[in-house]
Amino acid sequence: EVLFGLAGNTWRLGDLDSAEAFSREELALSRALGAVGLEAQAVNMLGLVAGARADLDTEQARYEESLALSRQIGDLFREAVAVANLGVIALLRQEYKEAIGYLETAIEKFNDLGRQESVALNLGNLAHANLKLGHTATARVHVREMLRLARQLGAVPRVLDALLNLAEILIAEGQTERGLELIGLIRGHPAAEFQMLQEIDRIVGGVRLDPAEVEAALARGETLDLETV
């Protein structure tokens, strides 16, 4: 568990080499002990590391391995995590209908387990999949529920996730400057995670505005208050 914590912390900081080293050490130890649950956990983290390196095939293989291990021992939480991660893989492959299937299944499992922060996180991914299919109203419903849950839990990273999803919806609707202001708020917040910053770079890179207007909107966002936005 200590190794898993170290792997997770270094992954969130973007230190992928350290995250991989800790995960491989955990994997070797878990296999030596016959601890299948810890093995599934380590394999899943290696998937996250591969994802941060944009190695989609390795990432998917790791999640599929983690799913099989989790089902082998009846670990419902880790099974749900693996299903959710496969939903993200489908999103990245632009297989949006398949992604919705994975994510709806994962959300149902997390709800059954009472893991509300995990529900909130995956509502964001579900919103993203619906947005890509042009289902803007459905995406907004999921984002509103995500934001409600995240605020209720006091889970600041999930609040930021919800606002990032909302920002992308606003940009898709043509409310580009308002979307960029939300992104400015998120980008400047100390709880912003490595993956969020990667997603921000992708979204901002696709905005069709004068660079000076983009920077001005992002700067305005840095003055916003997370509690009142």
Side-chain angles (χ1 to χ4, degrees):
E1 288 296 331
V2 172
L3 289 168
F4 175 69
L6 289 169
N9 287 336
T10 49
W11 170 75
R12 277 186 286 273
L13 292 170
D15 183 357
L16 302 180
D17 290 341
S18 294
E20 181 177 13
F22 287 130
S23 296
R24 289 193 179 281
E25 189 175 350
E26 181 190 11
L27 182 59
L29 183 59
S30 64
R31 284 175 173 168
L33 294 171
V36 178
L38 295 179
E39 182 181 354
Q41 179 175 270
V43 167
N44 187 75
M45 179 55 71
L46 287 169
L48 293 173
V49 171
R53 289 174 171 154
D55 183 354
L56 204 58
D57 290 339
T58 299
E59 184 180 13
Q60 181 170 345
R62 290 297 191 183
Y63 296 153
E64 288 171 346
E65 183 182 355
S66 182
L67 179 59
L69 289 166
S70 300
R71 285 177 171 165
Q72 179 183 323
I73 58 170
D75 188 327
L76 299 179
F77 175 67
R78 290 197 178 100
E79 178 183 344
V81 169
V83 171
N85 285 338
L86 287 168
V88 174
I89 290 290
L91 268 177
L92 293 171
R93 293 193 187 281
Q94 300 180 9
E95 297 166 351
Y96 301 121
K97 290 182 179 179
E98 185 174 354
I100 287 171
Y102 276 123
L103 294 166
E104 287 180 341
T105 299
I107 288 167
E108 182 178 355
K109 291 178 183 294
F110 285 129
N111 260 321
D112 289 345
L113 294 166
R115 305 298 288 253
Q116 293 302 294
E117 185 169 352
S118 296
V119 170
L121 176 62
N122 285 285
L123 281 169
N125 292 330
L126 186 57
H128 185 70
N130 276 280
L131 180 62
K132 289 297 185 181
L133 289 173
H135 304 159
T136 308
T138 302
R140 275 185 172 274
V141 169
H142 293 317
V143 168
R144 281 199 296 269
E145 177 61 11
M146 179 187 186
L147 187 56
R148 183 193 69 77
L149 271 178
R151 290 196 189 280
Q152 178 181 306
L153 294 166
V156 175
R158 301 294 74 79
V159 171
L160 296 177
D161 270 331
L163 293 176
L164 186 55
N165 276 279
L166 179 57
E168 192 162 20
I169 291 170
L170 290 168
I171 290 169
E173 292 176 336
Q175 301 181 62
T176 305
E177 291 193 15
R178 181 55 178 163
L180 288 170
E181 288 170 1
L182 289 180
I183 287 174
L185 166 62
I186 298 159
R187 189 178 67 172
H189 198 283
E193 297 171 339
F194 175 66
Q195 277 192 315
M196 277 184 223
L197 299 177
Q198 285 187 313
E199 186 69 3
I200 282 171
D201 288 343
R202 180 191 67 79
I203 295 170
V204 172
V207 167
R208 302 187 185 282
L209 274 184
D210 182 275
E213 292 178 289
V214 170
E215 288 306 316
L218 292 171
R220 288 195 301 274
E222 292 175 2
T223 69
L224 297 175
D225 182 354
L226 185 64
E227 298 302 318
T228 59
V229 70

